[in-house]
Amino acid sequence: QVQLVESGGGLVQAGGSLSISCAASGRTFSSYAMGWFRQVPEKEREFVAAITRAGGTKSYTDSVKGRFTVSRDNAKNTVYLQMNSLKPEDTAVYYCAARSKSPSTLNRAREANEYDYWGQGTQVSVSS
């Protein structure tokens, strides 16, 4: 069992930066690939980024490539999402998720149903 708690969301102006974190409970954090998703009202949850268990492979949705960076610190049981050059369309609730299947690859990492555990989400709002 893994519990995930996101933090660091808030309000930022367009062009600004924000870093959000996801702290995991338990001693098996390094056994999981981790993903970040986001959701706005009345839309499906959207893949943002993912990282393998050791952090060696990362994946991003096209709209955030070059602006967002996913990283993890297994010693701190934490995964991060650094968001730069934020745009109003980045406004959403951001969720982190943990996946036990194939943690050293990112096959199907863009699919929300591939993840076993989810955090409660943190709101990121970008004003124009």
Side-chain angles (χ1 to χ4, degrees), residues 44-56:
E44 289 189 0
R45 199 162 291 190
E46 173 193 27
F47 170 78
V48 176
I51 186 169
T52 50
R53 59 183 295 186

Side-chain angles (χ1 to χ4, degrees), residues 98-101 107-116:
R99 186 178 85 160
S100 59
K101 184 167 58 177
N107 293 337
R108 303 181 67 176
R110 296 168 181 259
E111 300 177 31
N113 61 10
E114 288 287 308
Y115 291 81
D116 305 293

